[in-house]
Amino acid sequence: MKRITIAIDGYSSCGKSTMAKDLAKEIGYVYVDSGAMYRAVTLFAMREGLIRDGKIDEEALRKRLGDINISFKFNPTTQRPDTYLNGELVEEEIRSLPISSNVSPVAALPFVRKAMVEQQKKLGREGGIVMDGRDIGTTVFPNAELKIFVTASDEVRAQRRFDELKAKGDSCDFGEILRNVRERDYIDTHREASPLRKAADAVELDNSEMSIAEQKEWLLSQVKMRTGSL
Ligand code: CDP
C-alpha cells in the first residue's frame, strides 16, 4: 500500500492532536505533533528567562536556538509519542496554561518557524506520516496527498481544553481558557509568517457535533480514498 503524507491543520484545541495520533496508530504511520515543538521552544525560552511578562527577548532567543534539541519517543503506555527537550521529558509541562499563553507569539517569529519547519520536513521525508499543526498543508508539506482542515466553535474548543486540563488535575478557569483560545486563533491567523489558513486543496471538517468514533470513521474513509485501501 502507498504510504502517503497526511497534513492536519486547524484552530487551537479543536482535537487535531487526538485525531492525528489515533489515525497514525490505526494505520501504522508516524505521528508528529508540530505544536509540541513550538511549545518546547517556548518552555526553553521561559526557563532561560528569555520571556518576561509576555515580552520575548528575540535576539537572545535567536542566539540560543542552536541549544534547543527537540525529540519524540514513543510511549508504550499511552501509545503516543512523548516530547523531549534536550533529553528531558517535558510532555506534561508543555501543555500547561502558562506555555499556552506564551506559545503563539513565539511561533510567530520567522526564525523560530524556519528552524522548526526544516526539522518537520526532515521528519516527513519518507512519507507514512501524520503531522498536525497550523501550516502543515500550506508550508511544511504543500504536496501532501491528504490535507484536512479542522474547525469547531470556540466555546466547544475551550470546553474540550477545560475538560482535558481538569482531568489532569490542573485548576483552571473556563473564561481564561476561552480567552486563550481566541487570542491564539487571532495571532495564528494574523501573523505574517505562514499564517493559519486552509490550503486550497484541503478537506474541511467541522467536528463541533461529532463524536471521536464518528470522526475516526470519517478520517479513515478519507485515507482510503487517497490510498485505494487501508
Ligand atoms: O493543541 P493546541 O491546538 O492547543 O495547540 P498546539 O497544536 O499544541 O500548538 C500550540 C501553538 O503553536 C499554536 O497556538 C500556534 O501558535 C503554534 N503552532 C504553529 O504556529 N504552527 C504549527 N505548525 C503548530 C503550532
Side-chain angles (χ1 to χ4, degrees):
M1 185 194 82
K2 188 176 162 206
R3 290 172 68 76
I4 62 169
T5 298
I6 303 175
I8 302 187
D9 289 302
Y11 295 95
S12 63
S13 314
C14 59
K16 293 179 309 288
S17 305
T18 309
M19 171 172 170
K21 272 174 213 162
D22 292 349
L23 174 66
K25 194 176 152 222
E26 181 82 24
I27 61 179
Y29 278 27
V30 169
Y31 164 64
V32 176
D33 175 355
S34 68
M37 299 171 75
Y38 294 98
R39 288 174 178 273
V41 173
T42 307
L43 175 62
F44 176 89
M46 288 176 77
R47 281 181 174 174
E48 297 292 315
L50 309 179
I51 304 180
R52 284 185 201 279
D53 300 324
K55 195 168 167 356
I56 310 167
D57 183 341
E58 290 184 30
E59 256 337 286
L61 179 58
R62 187 197 301 270
K63 283 196 191 118
R64 299 293 307 276
L65 218 52
D67 298 336
I68 305 177
N69 184 278
I70 301 162
S71 55
F72 296 101
K73 218 185 283 169
F74 190 74
N75 179 331
T77 313
T78 59
Q79 290 280 303
R80 288 165 179 189
D82 280 337
T83 311
Y84 287 76
L85 169 63
N86 294 331
E88 178 194 343
L89 176 63
V90 293
E91 184 59 33
E92 281 272 309
E93 205 173 345
I94 59 168
R95 313 283 165 193
S96 65
L97 202 49
I99 299 294
S100 296
S101 301
N102 285 285
V103 62
S104 291
V106 171
L109 297 171
F111 63 90
V112 170
R113 301 207 70 78
K114 186 167 176 280
M116 294 303 113
V117 169
E118 241 166 57
Q119 291 187 31
Q120 290 155 7
K121 282 183 191 276
K122 266 190 209 151
L123 290 167
R125 255 193 317 235
E126 315 281 317
I129 189 166
V130 183
M131 192 177 288
D132 78 324
R134 302 293 189 282
D135 61 339
I136 311 305
T138 53
T139 306
V140 181
F141 301 132
N143 298 322
E145 287 89 344
L146 175 57
K147 297 180 187 178
I148 294 168
F149 190 79
V150 197
T151 63
S153 75
D154 47 8
E155 273 94 2
V156 166
R157 290 185 281 126
Q159 187 65 48
R160 287 178 185 158
R161 184 49 51 99
F162 178 79
D163 294 342
E164 186 182 53
L165 289 171
K166 226 171 104 189
K168 279 188 199 157
D170 278 13
S171 62
C172 48
D173 173 65
F174 179 78
E176 195 183 340
I177 293 174
L178 182 59
R179 263 195 309 281
N180 175 255
V181 161
R182 288 180 173 153
E183 196 173 278
R184 283 199 286 141
D185 286 353
Y186 185 85
I187 301 176
D188 293 347
T189 47
H190 287 79
R191 69 179 177 222
E192 288 219 354
S194 46
L196 167 65
R197 61 180 175 79
K198 178 178 169 289
D201 52 350
V203 192
E204 192 165 331
L205 169 71
D206 182 334
N207 68 3
S208 306
E209 309 283 332
M210 262 184 170
S211 69
I212 293 196
E214 285 167 341
Q215 182 170 283
K216 189 168 170 187
E217 204 175 303
W218 181 87
L219 265 177
L220 286 173
S221 70
Q222 293 293 322
V223 175
K224 214 167 178 176
M225 270 195 267
R226 303 308 191 284
T227 59
S229 66
L230 271 181

